[in-house]
Amino acid sequence: MPEAEKIIKERFATLPAVVQKAILSSEWTIKLEEIRKKHGVYIDQAEPLQNEVLLVMAGLEDGEDFINSLTEEFHLLRSQAEELAGEIENQILAPIK
């Protein structure tokens, strides 16, 4: 098992039940797909975007690192990354906090 996958599985086991349930639900990926399309993130970047959001949901990446990842990996302007992250926060992350 790759090291990153092992870390995520170990972290998942320590998360509150409500967060585990949210991660296992397909609802967040459906919302993320809508957000991805709205913000013009290309289809080939859908899976990497899901992975980034999963890291945030699992508490393995904080908000600033998330924005930096969006800027670097998805070649977004800082303002675009902040807007995308804000929408992800409001629609996906805030309801499970």
Side-chain angles (χ1 to χ4, degrees), residues 33-51:
E33 180 63 10
E34 293 168 4
I35 294 167
R36 180 196 65 78
K37 288 177 183 176
K38 177 181 175 184
H39 289 271
V41 176
Y42 297 116
I43 187 72
D44 62 330
Q45 296 175 314
E47 186 176 342
L49 181 59
Q50 283 184 4
N51 293 339

Side-chain angles (χ1 to χ4, degrees), residues 3 15 17 25 30 32 69 78 88 92:
E3 188 64 25
L15 295 172
S25 164
I30 293 167
L32 185 60
S69 293
R78 178 81 184 185
I88 291 168
I92 296 171

Side-chain angles (χ1 to χ4, degrees), residues 4 40 82-83 92-94 97:
E82 288 172 349
E83 186 177 324
I92 296 171
L93 304 174
K97 286 185 178 180

Side-chain angles (χ1 to χ4, degrees), residues 17-64:
V18 68
V19 177
Q20 288 182 5
K21 183 178 177 182
I23 289 172
L24 295 174
S25 164
S26 63
E27 186 177 330
W28 75 272
T29 58
I30 293 167
K31 287 181 182 178
L32 185 60
E33 180 63 10
E34 293 168 4
I35 294 167
R36 180 196 65 78
K37 288 177 183 176
K38 177 181 175 184
H39 289 271
V41 176
Y42 297 116
I43 187 72
D44 62 330
Q45 296 175 314
E47 186 176 342
L49 181 59
Q50 283 184 4
N51 293 339
E52 285 296 324
V53 173
L54 181 59
L55 291 174
V56 176
M57 292 173 79
L60 294 169
E61 185 170 82
D62 67 22
E64 188 61 31

Side-chain angles (χ1 to χ4, degrees), residues 70-86:
L70 293 175
T71 303
E72 294 167 14
E73 293 180 35
F74 300 97
H75 308 289
L76 299 174
L77 297 174
R78 178 81 184 185
S79 59
Q80 292 171 313
E82 288 172 349
E83 186 177 324
L84 177 58

